[in-house]
Every structure is written in structure tokens, then in C-alpha cells.
């Protein structure tokens, strides 16, 4: 009995001392992937069936109701994640042991993975999809089916993921908590600004008929803020730099790889 | 994936053992590469589709003047930035190829799943431009020369000049002449006219503009040469952008 208890305790202790666990990130990506495929199937059907005339009752039912649901949920998720991470922050950040710091750095890599995954869906998949919708259907509202899933769903989701990564680093990793990483700030804030830029975009579309070229200058605000995602370069270098600092004793083993 | 060993980590050490360290960093390196791939895919794609997208979306927009001018110049930005990062920080000579592959993965998924799958345009109308041969060229020049200056001059000019030939094996069939109702046009034009889009009026305005565009046989080489010239300038600029975004400095907390 005592032997079994001892083994269980050892196993439990070992489990608690896991240095890297990317499973939560994989699960988050899987769930997001399933969710995005699901809404893609939804728009395949209801885009044509109920998304062509914004004055029709079915447009309200099948599309605007989604928007009025998703926006408050996204705001709650943004505040909830940021609030939780802040509330549970490490209040003795300068006393973090090297192993715990390494664990948190690797957890941050998981956050970055989820952020990158959501950036793909927002900036690539749903943005170009919006182009083909507008080449096919003349808009009679700013809140088209493609916009409801692009601007007001996929963009907020990547903002929430980026916000989570940024706040995780700010509240748990000494080098990001004691100072502000310029690269990390740009990596979060630049793509974030794409969302407010929707205001410029839709304001412009109320004035001008811009459908003849997807490359119309009105869209270049998205391009400018999208460039700031390149700050992922600096973030990766900062994370790797700290991993190397904490792993000095194995430097020769790495060079031998 | 979880990695543990039986022994505890020594006080003040991050790792319990060499095996734990190696297993973890190799996995994490791959994940960070995937992070870079996805982020570059997203940002490059939004950049490319909103600066050169119309010429890349449609077979009838793939003309002899604007397409070989606009597309390579716009595409050069991220190729140069990625080379700057991967070469100066890791001495890896595949920045342009990786980032271009990322863009094309995003484009092909979209053209099949959305342009064809949602709005029912045929793939022969909407397939993206080929960019990989140009990216190979740029990376090979950087690898062999080891110099971003040589790459900016030689690689970028080749980048512009290679664009049209790289696409020609696929494009040539669509530039066969056809006569429809007494009008001479290409097969690409014909496909486009059968799938009228909101971009169609601008396309009609564009193809009728310019005497050399309409009749000259030397338009493509001139456009490619001009494209290579501007790509050189873009390469210089975006190499520096890549370096700037790879910054690792910090601000004090009270500075923002």
C-alpha cells in the first residue's frame, strides 16, 4: 500500500515538474480549426440563402444575430483573459527560478503558436475570401456575411490570442515583465490596429464605389498594420536568446547537433 | 508533448538533463519555425492581396504590362525582409523561398476553397502566379555571394526578369487568340468575360490603354526590366525593414 502510494506520489511530482507541455496549444488550435470549418460550412449555405439582401428578414435572422452575439462575447473574452492573467500574475517576478522561467518561456511559445494560427485564419483565409465575395455580390451594407466572419470574428479572435500571449509574458516572464519588449508590443499592437482600421475602410465604402479593384488605396491601411506582424522576428529572437542564456551548460551539445 | 526525467533539476538550473534539454529545444525550434511560417503567411498574404491582388486573382488580369510590373515589386518586400532575418540571424539561405511558399499555401487554399468553392469561379480563372522560381533564384544568389548588396543588385534584377518566364508555361495556353462575334481576343479575356465580376469595368479600361500595350511585342521585356529595377530599390528598403523588425530592445515600463 505504501509502495503504491509512494509511486503515485512520485508520478504526481514528476507530472508537476513537466518542463514543456504544448498539449493545451494543440487542443486550442484543434478547437479553433473545427470552429472555423464549421462557420465556413455555415456561410457556404447561408451566404447565398440569406446573405444577399441586408433588408430581408432572413438576413437579420441568419447574419446580424451572429454579429450581435459575437461582438459582446469577444469583448468579454478579451477582458476575461487579460483580467485573469493580470489577477493571477507573479507578484514576486524577480524571484522566479530558472527552471520555472524556462517552463513559462515554453508556455509562451504555445501562446505564440495559437496566435500565429489565428493570424493565418484572419489575415489570409477570411481576408482573401472577402475579396471574392465582393467581386461577386454588390454590397448593400457594411455588415456583409463575409465581414461578419472576417472583421468581426476572425480579427477579434486573433487579437484576443495576441493579447493573451502578450499578457502572459508581461505577468509571468521576468524579461518581459520588468521592461517592455518593443518587438512584442509591435507584434501585438500592429495587427490589433487592423481592427480599428475597419472604421476607415467602412467609412470609405460608404462614400466610394471601390469594388473594381481589391488593391484600392482605401485598403492599404490593412497592409500597413499587417507589416507589423514582422515583429515576430524580434519576439522569436528574444525568446531564443533567453533560452540560450538559461542553457549555457549545454551550448556545446547544441553546436554538435 | 511532455518531457521529464526522474532526477530533479539542480538548484539554479533550468534543465534536469541533457536529454531533456535536447528533446525540448529541438521540438521548440520546429514550433517556432511553424509560428514564423504562419505569421509570415498571414502578413505577406494580406500585403500581397491588397497591393497586387487583382492581377493575381484573375487570368485575364495577367497581362503583358501591369501584371509583370506590379506583382514582382510587391512580392519582393517580404522576400527581402525574410532573407534579412534568416540570413543575418541564423545564416539560413532560405528566407525568400520559405516566405514565398507560405504565401502560395495561403493563396492556393483560398482559391480552391473560396474562389471556387464558395463563389464558383473556375480554377483556370483564379490560380495564383508562380513565384517559387524567383525565390529560389534570390536565395541561391544570397547563398553563393554571401552578400545582401550583390543579392539586391543581381538577385532582384533576376527576380523581375524571371517572373514572366516562370509563369509562361501555364499562361501561354490562355494567350491563344480567339475570335468571338467578330472580336479578336485571348482565351483569358474570353474566360473573364464569361465570369463578369465587379472588377470587370476596371479590367476593360486597363486593357484598352496604351499603344505599346495593345500592339507592341516588346512590352513584357520592358515591363520585366522595369520591375527588376524597382525590385532592387525595394530590396534595399525591405532588407532594412527586416532588420528593424528583428530588434530586441526594450522600453522602460514608464515609457509608454
Amino acid at each position: 500500500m505504501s509502495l503504491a502510494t509512494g509511486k503515485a506520489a512520485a508520478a504526481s511530482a514528476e507530472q508537476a515538474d513537466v518542463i514543456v507541455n504544448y498539449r493545451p496549444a494543440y487542443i486550442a488550435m484543434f478547437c479553433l480549426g473545427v470552429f472555423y470549418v464549421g462557420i465556413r460550412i455555415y456561410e457556404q449555405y447561408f451566404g447565398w440563402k440569406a446573405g444577399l439582401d441586408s433588408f430581408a428578414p432572413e438576413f437579420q435572422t441568419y447574419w446580424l444575430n451572429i454579429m450581435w452575439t459575437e461582438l459582446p462575447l469577444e469583448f468579454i473574452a478579451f477582458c476575461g483573459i487579460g483580467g485573469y492573467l493580470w489577477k493571477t500574475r507573479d507578484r514576486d517576478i524577480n524571484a522566479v527560478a530558472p527552471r520555472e522561467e524556462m517552463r513559462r518561456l515554453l508556455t509562451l511559445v504555445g501562446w505564440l503558436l495559437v496566435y500565429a494560427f489565428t493570424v493565418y485564419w484572419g489575415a489570409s483565409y477570411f481576408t482573401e475570401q472577402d475579396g471574392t465575395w465582393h467581386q461577386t455580390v454588390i454590397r448593400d451594407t457594411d455588415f456583409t456575411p463575409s465581414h461578419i466572419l472576417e472583421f468581426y470574428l476572425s480579427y477579434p479572435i486573433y487579437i484576443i490570442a495576441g493579447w493573451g500571449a502578450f499578457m502572459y509574458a508581461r505577468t509571468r516572464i521576468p524579461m518581459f515583465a520588468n521592461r517592455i519588449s518593443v518587438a512584442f508590443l509591435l507584434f501585438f499592437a500592429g495587427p490589433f490596429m487592423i481592427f480599428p482600421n475597419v472604421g476607415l475602410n467602412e467609412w470609405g465604402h460608404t462614400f466610394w464605389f471601390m469594388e473594381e479593384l481589391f488593391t484600392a488605396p482605401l485598403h492599404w491601411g490593412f497592409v500597413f498594420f499587417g507589416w507589423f506582424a514582422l515583429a515576430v522576428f524580434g519576439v522569436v529572437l528574444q525568446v531564443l536568446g533567453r533560452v540560450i542564456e538559461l542553457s549555457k551548460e549545454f551550448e556545446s551539445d547544441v553546436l554538435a547537433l | 508533448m511532455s518531457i521529464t526525467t526522474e532526477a530533479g533539476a539542480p538548484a539554479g538550473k533550468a534543465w534536469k538533463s541533457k536529454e531533456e534539454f535536447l528533446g525540448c529545444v529541438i521540438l521548440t525550434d520546429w514550433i517556432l519555425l511553424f509560428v514564423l511560417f504562419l505569421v509570415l503567411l498571414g502578413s505577406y498574404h494580406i500585403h500581397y492581396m491588397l497591393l497586387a491582388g487583382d492581377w493575381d486573382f484573375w487570368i485575364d488580369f495577367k497581362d503583358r504590362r501591369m501584371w509583370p510590373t506590379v506583382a514582382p515589386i510587391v512580392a519582393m518586400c517580404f522576400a527581402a525582409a525574410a532573407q534579412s532575418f534568416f540570413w543575418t540571424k541564423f545564416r539560413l539561405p532560405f528566407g525568400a523561398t520559405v516566405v514565398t511558399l507560405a504565401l502560395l499555401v495561403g493563396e492556393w487554399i483560398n482559391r480552391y476553397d473560396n474562389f471556387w468553392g464558395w463563389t464558383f469561379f473556375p480554377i483556370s480563372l483564379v490560380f495564383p502566379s508562380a513565384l517559387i522560381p524567383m525565390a529560389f533564384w534570390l536565395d541561391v544568389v544570397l547563398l553563393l555571394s554571401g552578400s545582401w548588396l550583390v543579392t539586391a543588385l543581381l538577385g532582384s534584377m533576376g527576380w523581375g526578369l524571371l517572373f514572366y518566364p516562370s509563369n509562361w508555361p501555364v499562361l501561354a495556353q490562355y494567350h491563344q487568340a480567339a475570335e468571338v462575334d467578330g472580336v479578336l481576343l485571348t482565351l483569358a479575356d474570353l474566360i473573364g468575360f464569361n465570369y463578369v465580376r465587379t472588377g470587370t469595368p476596371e479590367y476593360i479600361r486597363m486593357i484598352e490603354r496604351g499603344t505599346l500595350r495593345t500592339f507592341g511585342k516588346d512590352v513584357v521585356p520592358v515591363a520585366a526590366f522595369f520591375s527588376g529595377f524597382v525590385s532592387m530599390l525595394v530590396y534595399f528598403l525591405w532588407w532594412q525593414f527586416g532588420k528593424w523588425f528583428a530588434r530586441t530592445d526594450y522600453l522602460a515600463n514608464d515609457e509608454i
Side-chain angles (χ1 to χ4, degrees):
Chain A
M1 182 67 180
S2 62
L3 184 63
T5 306
K7 280 184 178 174
S12 174
E14 187 177 314
Q15 189 64 31
D17 200 28
V18 169
I19 188 73
V20 56
N21 181 13
Y22 289 127
R23 194 171 294 129
Y26 298 154
I27 292 171
M29 290 167 64
F30 177 78
C31 293
L32 283 164
V34 169
F35 173 69
Y36 281 133
V37 169
I39 61 172
R40 174 66 185 82
I41 293 169
Y42 182 92
E43 71 178 351
Q44 181 78 18
Y45 188 66
F46 290 107
W48 295 109
K49 181 181 167 66
L52 301 179
D53 178 4
S54 69
F55 295 92
E58 61 267 27
F59 192 90
Q60 172 73 43
T61 302
Y62 291 101
W63 288 106
L64 287 180
N65 280 340
I66 290 180
M67 198 176 71
W68 302 132
T69 305
E70 69 194 6
L71 285 175
L73 287 178
E74 288 152 6
F75 183 71
I76 291 167
F78 183 88
C79 295
I81 287 176
Y84 172 79
L85 289 170
W86 178 253
K87 189 76 180 166
T88 57
R89 68 189 181 279
D90 190 332
R91 291 166 194 267
D92 194 8
I93 194 73
N94 292 318
V96 177
R99 185 165 177 81
E100 178 59 22
E101 185 179 350
M102 181 63 72
R103 182 183 290 116
R104 294 179 187 182
L105 278 169
L106 300 175
T107 304
L108 176 64
V109 171
W111 273 99
L112 294 176
L113 181 60
V114 175
Y115 183 32
F117 188 67
T118 57
V119 164
Y120 158 71
W121 281 98
S124 172
Y125 187 86
F126 284 106
T127 303
E128 196 172 275
Q129 181 200 67
D130 186 49
T132 193
W133 181 258
H134 289 313
Q135 285 287 320
T136 312
V137 179
I138 299 292
R139 72 183 83 196
D140 65 347
T141 173
D142 291 323
F143 305 109
T144 62
S146 57
H147 284 184
I148 287 171
L149 300 184
E150 178 203 8
F151 293 153
Y152 309 113
L153 184 73
S154 70
Y155 288 7
I157 285 176
Y158 81 62
I159 287 169
I160 291 166
W163 173 239
F166 184 75
M167 283 301 290
Y168 182 86
R170 285 285 293 159
T171 55
R172 282 153 173 80
I173 299 174
M175 71 173 184
F176 291 124
N178 292 327
R179 298 167 295 170
I180 293 170
S181 157
V182 175
F184 213 146
L185 188 63
L186 294 176
F187 185 39
F188 165 62
F192 167 84
M193 287 302 293
I194 286 179
F195 185 64
N197 184 71
V198 171
L200 162 67
N201 188 67
E202 296 311 299
W203 184 85
H205 277 293
T206 63
F207 267 113
W208 303 296
F209 185 84
M210 306 295 285
E211 257 69 0
E212 293 188 17
L213 278 179
F214 201 51
T215 54
L218 179 62
H219 292 154
W220 293 352
F222 295 119
V223 175
F224 176 75
F225 290 116
W227 291 344
F228 286 85
L230 286 174
V232 67
F233 292 161
V235 176
V236 166
L237 290 177
Q238 285 175 325
V239 170
L240 285 178
R242 188 60 186 152
V243 168
I244 290 168
E245 280 177 14
L246 291 171
S247 312
K248 276 293 180 193
E249 78 250 43
F250 298 121
E251 195 170 358
S252 58
D253 298 300
V254 171
L255 294 174
L257 283 175
Chain B
M1 177 176 173
S2 303
I3 297 168
T4 57
T5 59
E6 286 186 14
K13 301 266 186 182
W15 305 100
K16 290 177 181 174
S17 66
K18 189 171 81 175
E19 290 71 30
E20 181 189 59
F21 163 74
L22 289 175
C24 183
V25 295
I26 290 170
L27 173 66
T28 301
D29 277 351
W30 280 109
I31 288 182
L32 284 175
L33 269 175
F34 192 52
V35 167
L36 285 164
F37 187 84
L38 287 175
V39 172
L40 290 173
L41 192 170
S43 56
Y44 192 5
H45 198 177
I46 201 168
H47 160 97
Y48 191 68
M49 77 175 81
L50 294 173
L51 294 178
D54 303 275
W55 288 274
D56 198 75
F57 293 160
W58 315 110
I59 185 72
D60 51 356
F61 266 74
K62 290 183 170 65
D63 66 344
R64 295 178 296 160
R65 187 186 64 180
M66 290 302 290
W67 175 55
T69 305
V70 173
I73 292 170
V74 170
M76 173 54 85
C77 301
F78 274 66
Q83 274 201 338
S84 167
F85 173 68
F86 283 105
W87 182 254
T88 59
K89 302 300 179 185
F90 302 98
R91 275 295 181 268
L92 292 172
F94 55 54
T97 304
V98 165
V99 79
T100 303
L101 177 66
L103 172 69
L104 285 166
V105 166
E107 287 190 327
W108 273 106
I109 290 173
N110 231 291
R111 303 304 161 81
Y112 263 103
D113 203 31
N114 293 317
F115 281 66
W116 176 71
W118 195 30
T119 48
F120 311 117
F121 294 117
I123 289 297
S124 58
L125 176 64
V126 299
F127 63 86
S129 312
L131 298 169
I132 292 290
M134 302 147 63
F136 275 153
W137 166 258
L138 206 64
D139 279 338
V140 166
V141 172
L142 181 62
L143 175 64
L144 295 181
S145 70
S147 161
W148 74 282
L149 187 65
V150 172
T151 310
L153 298 174
L154 189 62
S156 300
M157 180 51 77
W159 175 275
L161 294 176
L162 277 171
F163 179 73
Y164 206 84
S166 302
N167 282 276
W168 185 245
V170 175
L171 190 67
Q173 57 192 321
Y174 298 103
H175 279 198
Q176 296 295 311
E179 186 180 334
V180 180
D181 295 334
V183 177
L184 183 64
L185 71 174
T186 66
L187 284 177
D189 293 328
L190 183 59
I191 294 171
F193 287 137
N194 277 285
Y195 288 89
V196 174
R197 293 139 283 153
T198 54
T200 300
E202 177 63 19
Y203 166 68
I204 293 172
R205 267 180 239 121
M206 191 180 77
I207 63 170
E208 295 301 332
R209 189 184 298 165
T211 53
L212 283 177
R213 164 66 186 86
T214 310
F215 300 112
K217 66 182 179 358
D218 303 323
V219 175
V220 168
V222 170
F225 191 52
F226 173 53
S227 180
F229 162 63
V230 181
S231 293
M232 288 178 181
L233 305 177
V234 169
Y235 189 95
F236 280 113
L237 187 64
W238 277 78
W239 179 276
Q240 298 301 332
F241 276 4
K243 279 177 69 175
W244 190 81
F245 279 116
R247 59 192 303 165
T248 54
D249 53 333
Y250 293 86
L251 296 171
N253 278 336
D254 59 4
E255 282 189 89
I256 62 166

